mmCIF file of all heavy atoms in Angstrom:
data_model
loop_
_atom_site.group_PDB
_atom_site.id
_atom_site.type_symbol
_atom_site.label_atom_id
_atom_site.label_comp_id
_atom_site.label_asym_id
_atom_site.label_seq_id
_atom_site.Cartn_x
_atom_site.Cartn_y
_atom_site.Cartn_z
ATOM 1 N N VAL R 298 38.510 -4.935 -63.128
ATOM 2 C CA VAL R 298 38.666 -4.055 -61.966
ATOM 3 C C VAL R 298 37.879 -4.593 -60.777
ATOM 4 O O VAL R 298 38.324 -4.488 -59.630
ATOM 5 C CB VAL R 298 38.256 -2.607 -62.310
ATOM 6 C CG1 VAL R 298 39.167 -2.027 -63.386
ATOM 7 C CG2 VAL R 298 36.810 -2.509 -62.746
ATOM 8 N N GLY R 299 36.720 -5.201 -61.034
ATOM 9 C CA GLY R 299 35.941 -5.779 -59.946
ATOM 10 C C GLY R 299 36.703 -6.872 -59.235
ATOM 11 O O GLY R 299 36.716 -6.953 -57.996
ATOM 12 N N TYR R 300 37.360 -7.722 -60.023
ATOM 13 C CA TYR R 300 38.142 -8.814 -59.440
ATOM 14 C C TYR R 300 39.270 -8.266 -58.575
ATOM 15 O O TYR R 300 39.547 -8.789 -57.485
ATOM 16 C CB TYR R 300 38.718 -9.694 -60.551
ATOM 17 C CG TYR R 300 39.653 -10.771 -60.045
ATOM 18 C CD1 TYR R 300 39.162 -11.997 -59.594
ATOM 19 C CD2 TYR R 300 41.035 -10.557 -59.985
ATOM 20 C CE1 TYR R 300 40.015 -12.980 -59.112
ATOM 21 C CE2 TYR R 300 41.896 -11.518 -59.504
ATOM 22 C CZ TYR R 300 41.385 -12.737 -59.070
ATOM 23 O OH TYR R 300 42.235 -13.699 -58.582
ATOM 24 N N GLN R 301 39.932 -7.208 -59.058
ATOM 25 C CA GLN R 301 41.079 -6.674 -58.328
ATOM 26 C C GLN R 301 40.666 -5.997 -57.017
ATOM 27 O O GLN R 301 41.361 -6.116 -56.010
ATOM 28 C CB GLN R 301 41.858 -5.713 -59.229
ATOM 29 C CG GLN R 301 42.518 -6.439 -60.399
ATOM 30 C CD GLN R 301 43.388 -5.539 -61.241
ATOM 31 O OE1 GLN R 301 44.409 -5.020 -60.787
ATOM 32 N NE2 GLN R 301 43.010 -5.358 -62.501
ATOM 33 N N ILE R 302 39.539 -5.291 -57.035
ATOM 34 C CA ILE R 302 39.047 -4.700 -55.780
ATOM 35 C C ILE R 302 38.625 -5.811 -54.822
ATOM 36 O O ILE R 302 38.919 -5.776 -53.624
ATOM 37 C CB ILE R 302 37.871 -3.748 -56.052
ATOM 38 C CG1 ILE R 302 38.306 -2.601 -56.978
ATOM 39 C CG2 ILE R 302 37.340 -3.165 -54.731
ATOM 40 C CD1 ILE R 302 37.154 -1.740 -57.458
ATOM 41 N N GLU R 303 37.952 -6.832 -55.360
ATOM 42 C CA GLU R 303 37.485 -7.946 -54.532
ATOM 43 C C GLU R 303 38.650 -8.738 -53.959
ATOM 44 O O GLU R 303 38.590 -9.235 -52.827
ATOM 45 C CB GLU R 303 36.584 -8.865 -55.365
ATOM 46 C CG GLU R 303 35.877 -9.922 -54.548
ATOM 47 C CD GLU R 303 34.838 -10.680 -55.360
ATOM 48 O OE1 GLU R 303 34.179 -10.065 -56.226
ATOM 49 O OE2 GLU R 303 34.684 -11.890 -55.115
ATOM 50 N N GLU R 304 39.731 -8.841 -54.727
ATOM 51 C CA GLU R 304 40.917 -9.564 -54.261
ATOM 52 C C GLU R 304 41.501 -8.892 -53.021
ATOM 53 O O GLU R 304 41.929 -9.565 -52.078
ATOM 54 C CB GLU R 304 41.960 -9.610 -55.382
ATOM 55 C CG GLU R 304 43.151 -10.492 -55.085
ATOM 56 C CD GLU R 304 44.121 -10.538 -56.246
ATOM 57 O OE1 GLU R 304 44.316 -9.484 -56.897
ATOM 58 O OE2 GLU R 304 44.691 -11.608 -56.498
ATOM 59 N N ALA R 305 41.521 -7.554 -53.003
ATOM 60 C CA ALA R 305 42.006 -6.827 -51.835
ATOM 61 C C ALA R 305 41.143 -7.120 -50.615
ATOM 62 O O ALA R 305 41.641 -7.278 -49.496
ATOM 63 C CB ALA R 305 42.014 -5.325 -52.127
ATOM 64 N N LEU R 306 39.838 -7.219 -50.827
ATOM 65 C CA LEU R 306 38.909 -7.510 -49.734
ATOM 66 C C LEU R 306 39.094 -8.939 -49.237
ATOM 67 O O LEU R 306 39.134 -9.192 -48.028
ATOM 68 C CB LEU R 306 37.475 -7.290 -50.221
ATOM 69 C CG LEU R 306 36.356 -7.317 -49.188
ATOM 70 C CD1 LEU R 306 36.550 -6.218 -48.157
ATOM 71 C CD2 LEU R 306 35.004 -7.168 -49.872
ATOM 72 N N ALA R 307 39.221 -9.889 -50.177
ATOM 73 C CA ALA R 307 39.358 -11.300 -49.806
ATOM 74 C C ALA R 307 40.630 -11.566 -49.013
ATOM 75 O O ALA R 307 40.681 -12.486 -48.191
ATOM 76 C CB ALA R 307 39.333 -12.169 -51.069
ATOM 77 N N ALA R 308 41.663 -10.761 -49.236
ATOM 78 C CA ALA R 308 42.937 -10.969 -48.551
ATOM 79 C C ALA R 308 42.869 -10.632 -47.072
ATOM 80 O O ALA R 308 43.700 -11.100 -46.289
ATOM 81 C CB ALA R 308 44.028 -10.132 -49.223
ATOM 82 N N HIS R 309 41.881 -9.841 -46.661
ATOM 83 C CA HIS R 309 41.874 -9.337 -45.288
ATOM 84 C C HIS R 309 40.614 -9.661 -44.488
ATOM 85 O O HIS R 309 40.663 -9.671 -43.260
ATOM 86 C CB HIS R 309 42.069 -7.814 -45.298
ATOM 87 C CG HIS R 309 43.363 -7.380 -45.889
ATOM 88 N ND1 HIS R 309 44.576 -7.561 -45.264
ATOM 89 C CD2 HIS R 309 43.642 -6.773 -47.073
ATOM 90 C CE1 HIS R 309 45.540 -7.089 -46.019
ATOM 91 N NE2 HIS R 309 45.008 -6.593 -47.122
ATOM 92 N N ILE R 310 39.471 -9.876 -45.162
ATOM 93 C CA ILE R 310 38.210 -10.040 -44.445
ATOM 94 C C ILE R 310 37.516 -11.310 -44.904
ATOM 95 O O ILE R 310 37.384 -11.563 -46.107
ATOM 96 C CB ILE R 310 37.287 -8.818 -44.676
ATOM 97 C CG1 ILE R 310 37.963 -7.540 -44.177
ATOM 98 C CG2 ILE R 310 35.951 -9.004 -43.958
ATOM 99 C CD1 ILE R 310 37.178 -6.277 -44.445
ATOM 100 N N SER R 311 37.060 -12.110 -43.944
ATOM 101 C CA SER R 311 36.361 -13.359 -44.253
ATOM 102 C C SER R 311 34.897 -13.059 -44.585
ATOM 103 O O SER R 311 34.129 -12.623 -43.719
ATOM 104 C CB SER R 311 36.444 -14.322 -43.057
ATOM 105 O OG SER R 311 35.733 -15.509 -43.326
ATOM 106 N N MET R 312 34.522 -13.252 -45.846
ATOM 107 C CA MET R 312 33.162 -12.992 -46.305
ATOM 108 C C MET R 312 32.810 -14.008 -47.379
ATOM 109 O O MET R 312 33.690 -14.603 -48.010
ATOM 110 C CB MET R 312 33.048 -11.574 -46.904
ATOM 111 C CG MET R 312 33.472 -10.452 -45.995
ATOM 112 S SD MET R 312 33.546 -8.844 -46.850
ATOM 113 C CE MET R 312 31.796 -8.438 -46.986
ATOM 114 N N SER R 313 31.539 -14.187 -47.599
ATOM 115 C CA SER R 313 31.115 -15.046 -48.703
ATOM 116 C C SER R 313 31.332 -14.313 -50.022
ATOM 117 O O SER R 313 31.508 -13.093 -50.055
ATOM 118 C CB SER R 313 29.634 -15.411 -48.559
ATOM 119 O OG SER R 313 28.816 -14.258 -48.761
ATOM 120 N N LYS R 314 31.314 -15.056 -51.128
ATOM 121 C CA LYS R 314 31.495 -14.466 -52.448
ATOM 122 C C LYS R 314 30.437 -13.396 -52.712
ATOM 123 O O LYS R 314 30.741 -12.316 -53.228
ATOM 124 C CB LYS R 314 31.418 -15.565 -53.511
ATOM 125 C CG LYS R 314 31.472 -15.078 -54.951
ATOM 126 C CD LYS R 314 32.851 -14.621 -55.330
ATOM 127 C CE LYS R 314 32.904 -14.258 -56.809
ATOM 128 N NZ LYS R 314 34.231 -13.737 -57.212
ATOM 129 N N ARG R 315 29.206 -13.682 -52.339
ATOM 130 C CA ARG R 315 28.125 -12.720 -52.561
ATOM 131 C C ARG R 315 28.338 -11.455 -51.733
ATOM 132 O O ARG R 315 28.139 -10.341 -52.226
ATOM 133 C CB ARG R 315 26.773 -13.362 -52.206
ATOM 134 C CG ARG R 315 25.590 -12.407 -52.363
ATOM 135 C CD ARG R 315 24.286 -13.094 -52.012
ATOM 136 N NE ARG R 315 23.954 -14.132 -52.986
ATOM 137 C CZ ARG R 315 22.845 -14.866 -52.949
ATOM 138 N NH1 ARG R 315 21.964 -14.693 -51.969
ATOM 139 N NH2 ARG R 315 22.620 -15.779 -53.860
ATOM 140 N N GLU R 316 28.744 -11.620 -50.472
ATOM 141 C CA GLU R 316 28.992 -10.460 -49.604
ATOM 142 C C GLU R 316 30.138 -9.606 -50.133
ATOM 143 O O GLU R 316 30.077 -8.370 -50.097
ATOM 144 C CB GLU R 316 29.300 -10.933 -48.178
ATOM 145 C CG GLU R 316 28.105 -11.506 -47.439
ATOM 146 C CD GLU R 316 28.487 -12.139 -46.118
ATOM 147 O OE1 GLU R 316 29.628 -12.634 -46.003
ATOM 148 O OE2 GLU R 316 27.652 -12.145 -45.191
ATOM 149 N N ARG R 317 31.178 -10.278 -50.643
ATOM 150 C CA ARG R 317 32.318 -9.539 -51.184
ATOM 151 C C ARG R 317 31.905 -8.715 -52.398
ATOM 152 O O ARG R 317 32.280 -7.551 -52.530
ATOM 153 C CB ARG R 317 33.456 -10.493 -51.566
ATOM 154 C CG ARG R 317 34.297 -10.967 -50.402
ATOM 155 C CD ARG R 317 35.664 -11.446 -50.848
ATOM 156 N NE ARG R 317 35.600 -12.501 -51.845
ATOM 157 C CZ ARG R 317 35.544 -13.791 -51.572
ATOM 158 N NH1 ARG R 317 35.543 -14.198 -50.318
ATOM 159 N NH2 ARG R 317 35.494 -14.686 -52.539
ATOM 160 N N LYS R 318 31.132 -9.330 -53.289
ATOM 161 C CA LYS R 318 30.741 -8.583 -54.492
ATOM 162 C C LYS R 318 29.871 -7.384 -54.120
ATOM 163 O O LYS R 318 30.039 -6.294 -54.689
ATOM 164 C CB LYS R 318 29.990 -9.489 -55.468
ATOM 165 C CG LYS R 318 29.643 -8.753 -56.771
ATOM 166 C CD LYS R 318 29.128 -9.673 -57.854
ATOM 167 C CE LYS R 318 28.885 -8.880 -59.144
ATOM 168 N NZ LYS R 318 28.409 -9.740 -60.247
ATOM 169 N N LYS R 319 28.970 -7.562 -53.154
ATOM 170 C CA LYS R 319 28.136 -6.437 -52.723
ATOM 171 C C LYS R 319 29.001 -5.324 -52.138
ATOM 172 O O LYS R 319 28.790 -4.138 -52.433
ATOM 173 C CB LYS R 319 27.110 -6.896 -51.691
ATOM 174 C CG LYS R 319 26.173 -5.759 -51.226
ATOM 175 C CD LYS R 319 25.203 -6.226 -50.170
ATOM 176 C CE LYS R 319 24.230 -5.102 -49.795
ATOM 177 N NZ LYS R 319 24.926 -3.881 -49.325
ATOM 178 N N ALA R 320 29.992 -5.697 -51.312
ATOM 179 C CA ALA R 320 30.872 -4.696 -50.710
ATOM 180 C C ALA R 320 31.670 -3.962 -51.785
ATOM 181 O O ALA R 320 31.884 -2.748 -51.697
ATOM 182 C CB ALA R 320 31.818 -5.362 -49.708
ATOM 183 N N VAL R 321 32.098 -4.694 -52.817
ATOM 184 C CA VAL R 321 32.860 -4.080 -53.906
ATOM 185 C C VAL R 321 31.985 -3.105 -54.684
ATOM 186 O O VAL R 321 32.393 -1.988 -54.995
ATOM 187 C CB VAL R 321 33.431 -5.168 -54.842
ATOM 188 C CG1 VAL R 321 33.996 -4.536 -56.116
ATOM 189 C CG2 VAL R 321 34.515 -5.960 -54.125
ATOM 190 N N LEU R 322 30.762 -3.504 -54.999
ATOM 191 C CA LEU R 322 29.858 -2.614 -55.725
ATOM 192 C C LEU R 322 29.529 -1.376 -54.893
ATOM 193 O O LEU R 322 29.411 -0.271 -55.428
ATOM 194 C CB LEU R 322 28.583 -3.360 -56.107
ATOM 195 C CG LEU R 322 28.746 -4.481 -57.145
ATOM 196 C CD1 LEU R 322 27.422 -5.220 -57.350
ATOM 197 C CD2 LEU R 322 29.252 -3.926 -58.476
ATOM 198 N N ASP R 323 29.408 -1.573 -53.584
ATOM 199 C CA ASP R 323 29.131 -0.431 -52.695
ATOM 200 C C ASP R 323 30.277 0.575 -52.716
ATOM 201 O O ASP R 323 30.051 1.784 -52.829
ATOM 202 C CB ASP R 323 28.881 -0.912 -51.267
ATOM 203 C CG ASP R 323 27.523 -1.577 -51.094
ATOM 204 O OD1 ASP R 323 26.676 -1.430 -52.007
ATOM 205 O OD2 ASP R 323 27.317 -2.250 -50.067
ATOM 206 N N ILE R 324 31.531 0.085 -52.591
ATOM 207 C CA ILE R 324 32.660 1.011 -52.558
ATOM 208 C C ILE R 324 32.864 1.648 -53.928
ATOM 209 O O ILE R 324 33.244 2.818 -54.032
ATOM 210 C CB ILE R 324 33.958 0.320 -52.064
ATOM 211 C CG1 ILE R 324 35.018 1.360 -51.677
ATOM 212 C CG2 ILE R 324 34.533 -0.627 -53.104
ATOM 213 C CD1 ILE R 324 34.676 2.198 -50.495
ATOM 214 N N MET R 325 32.571 0.923 -55.002
ATOM 215 C CA MET R 325 32.666 1.508 -56.340
ATOM 216 C C MET R 325 31.693 2.673 -56.482
ATOM 217 O O MET R 325 32.022 3.710 -57.057
ATOM 218 C CB MET R 325 32.402 0.437 -57.403
ATOM 219 C CG MET R 325 33.525 -0.590 -57.538
ATOM 220 S SD MET R 325 33.129 -1.931 -58.711
ATOM 221 C CE MET R 325 33.285 -1.057 -60.287
ATOM 222 N N ALA R 326 30.500 2.508 -55.932
ATOM 223 C CA ALA R 326 29.517 3.593 -55.972
ATOM 224 C C ALA R 326 29.972 4.768 -55.110
ATOM 225 O O ALA R 326 29.831 5.932 -55.492
ATOM 226 C CB ALA R 326 28.153 3.080 -55.509
ATOM 227 N N GLN R 327 30.546 4.464 -53.941
ATOM 228 C CA GLN R 327 30.987 5.531 -53.032
ATOM 229 C C GLN R 327 32.079 6.407 -53.639
ATOM 230 O O GLN R 327 32.139 7.609 -53.376
ATOM 231 C CB GLN R 327 31.504 4.920 -51.722
ATOM 232 C CG GLN R 327 30.411 4.374 -50.815
ATOM 233 C CD GLN R 327 31.002 3.769 -49.545
ATOM 234 O OE1 GLN R 327 31.912 4.320 -48.938
ATOM 235 N NE2 GLN R 327 30.479 2.619 -49.152
ATOM 236 N N VAL R 328 32.953 5.804 -54.454
ATOM 237 C CA VAL R 328 34.048 6.589 -55.050
ATOM 238 C C VAL R 328 33.640 7.190 -56.393
ATOM 239 O O VAL R 328 34.472 7.746 -57.112
ATOM 240 C CB VAL R 328 35.334 5.741 -55.218
ATOM 241 C CG1 VAL R 328 35.807 5.212 -53.879
ATOM 242 C CG2 VAL R 328 35.138 4.615 -56.226
ATOM 243 N N GLY R 329 32.355 7.101 -56.715
ATOM 244 C CA GLY R 329 31.848 7.798 -57.890
ATOM 245 C C GLY R 329 32.054 7.091 -59.213
ATOM 246 O O GLY R 329 32.018 7.732 -60.271
ATOM 247 N N LEU R 330 32.251 5.778 -59.189
ATOM 248 C CA LEU R 330 32.347 5.033 -60.439
ATOM 249 C C LEU R 330 30.940 4.826 -61.000
ATOM 250 O O LEU R 330 30.077 4.271 -60.316
ATOM 251 C CB LEU R 330 33.034 3.680 -60.211
ATOM 252 C CG LEU R 330 34.551 3.743 -60.026
ATOM 253 C CD1 LEU R 330 35.078 2.468 -59.391
ATOM 254 C CD2 LEU R 330 35.236 3.997 -61.360
ATOM 255 N N PRO R 331 30.671 5.273 -62.220
ATOM 256 C CA PRO R 331 29.321 5.125 -62.784
ATOM 257 C C PRO R 331 29.021 3.676 -63.138
ATOM 258 O O PRO R 331 29.917 2.907 -63.492
ATOM 259 C CB PRO R 331 29.380 6.008 -64.041
ATOM 260 C CG PRO R 331 30.820 5.991 -64.442
ATOM 261 C CD PRO R 331 31.605 5.914 -63.163
ATOM 262 N N ARG R 332 27.772 3.283 -63.010
ATOM 263 C CA ARG R 332 27.317 1.932 -63.387
ATOM 264 C C ARG R 332 28.251 0.857 -62.805
ATOM 265 O O ARG R 332 28.891 0.102 -63.563
ATOM 266 C CB ARG R 332 27.234 1.777 -64.898
ATOM 267 C CG ARG R 332 26.417 2.865 -65.599
ATOM 268 C CD ARG R 332 26.373 2.647 -67.110
ATOM 269 N NE ARG R 332 27.691 2.378 -67.668
ATOM 270 C CZ ARG R 332 28.612 3.319 -67.915
ATOM 271 N NH1 ARG R 332 28.366 4.595 -67.646
ATOM 272 N NH2 ARG R 332 29.789 2.988 -68.418
ATOM 273 N N PRO R 333 28.373 0.761 -61.496
ATOM 274 C CA PRO R 333 29.309 -0.203 -60.895
ATOM 275 C C PRO R 333 29.132 -1.633 -61.405
ATOM 276 O O PRO R 333 30.132 -2.328 -61.618
ATOM 277 C CB PRO R 333 28.989 -0.103 -59.398
ATOM 278 C CG PRO R 333 28.472 1.281 -59.220
ATOM 279 C CD PRO R 333 27.692 1.577 -60.473
ATOM 280 N N SER R 334 27.899 -2.059 -61.621
ATOM 281 C CA SER R 334 27.669 -3.438 -62.079
ATOM 282 C C SER R 334 28.299 -3.690 -63.442
ATOM 283 O O SER R 334 28.778 -4.797 -63.722
ATOM 284 C CB SER R 334 26.166 -3.733 -62.144
ATOM 285 O OG SER R 334 25.591 -3.656 -60.854
ATOM 286 N N ASP R 335 28.284 -2.663 -64.309
ATOM 287 C CA ASP R 335 28.901 -2.817 -65.631
ATOM 288 C C ASP R 335 30.423 -2.722 -65.534
ATOM 289 O O ASP R 335 31.146 -3.530 -66.131
ATOM 290 C CB ASP R 335 28.381 -1.741 -66.590
ATOM 291 C CG ASP R 335 26.892 -1.883 -66.868
ATOM 292 O OD1 ASP R 335 26.377 -3.011 -66.750
ATOM 293 O OD2 ASP R 335 26.261 -0.865 -67.180
ATOM 294 N N LEU R 336 30.911 -1.742 -64.781
ATOM 295 C CA LEU R 336 32.353 -1.553 -64.684
ATOM 296 C C LEU R 336 33.038 -2.680 -63.917
ATOM 297 O O LEU R 336 34.240 -2.899 -64.073
ATOM 298 C CB LEU R 336 32.671 -0.214 -64.013
ATOM 299 C CG LEU R 336 32.380 1.047 -64.824
ATOM 300 C CD1 LEU R 336 32.893 2.281 -64.087
ATOM 301 C CD2 LEU R 336 33.008 0.977 -66.204
#
């Protein structure tokens, strides 16, 4: 699921791999997904 959310981000916004993963973990937390790093 992390890859799929990150893929949506990579398709539209120019960011480094580290920035993308942070943005993905942030949005996962915002939508109430528990333990984003594990999920």
